Amino acid sequence: PQKAGLSVAIKKASITKPTWVVVYESRNGVPGNVLGAHLFFATGPGTVTLLRATMAGGEYFVGMSPDNGDRKYSKAADKPNMASDGSLEVTRFIAN
């Protein structure tokens, strides 16, 4: 769970190369619009600042997209990690 608001706390991001940690709002139970992204350079905790606040009781997702080298987040250019079934590899959370 996360507190509702304009940021999402990341307890641990295990990465080996610069990677965007991306927060998505839920669209019918699957990741929808991107609310924010933060570039992590090393494994550890951090914070993703959002463009729009999460709402208490709302469902959201966090995923990772390796940076394509330009250090600018682009949903099209920075391809997200995918699960074996072809869906986005994400972690679900509820804001409170």
Side-chain angles (χ1 to χ4, degrees):
Q2 292 275 331
K3 291 203 179 280
L6 285 169
S7 65
V8 172
I10 306 299
K11 282 187 177 182
K12 182 178 180 183
S14 297
I15 61 171
T16 57
K17 61 182 180 177
T19 300
W20 292 97
V21 175
V22 183
V23 178
Y24 303 89
E25 65 184 350
S26 178
R27 183 179 295 147
N28 298 319
V30 297
N33 294 331
V34 172
L35 293 180
H38 183 78
L39 187 58
F40 281 68
F41 292 95
T43 296
T47 301
V48 178
T49 301
L50 306 177
L51 300 171
R52 185 167 22 103
T54 58
M55 305 295 287
E59 177 181 51
Y60 302 91
F61 299 92
V62 175
M64 296 197 300
S65 298
D67 184 54
N68 69 356
D70 66 2
R71 296 189 177 178
K72 296 177 184 174
Y73 178 72
S74 165
K75 190 174 179 179
D78 298 305
K79 301 297 182 192
N81 292 343
M82 304 299 282
S84 60
D85 67 0
S87 64
L88 284 178
E89 191 173 281
V90 293
T91 300
R92 176 185 170 271
F93 72 91
I94 302 293
N96 56 27

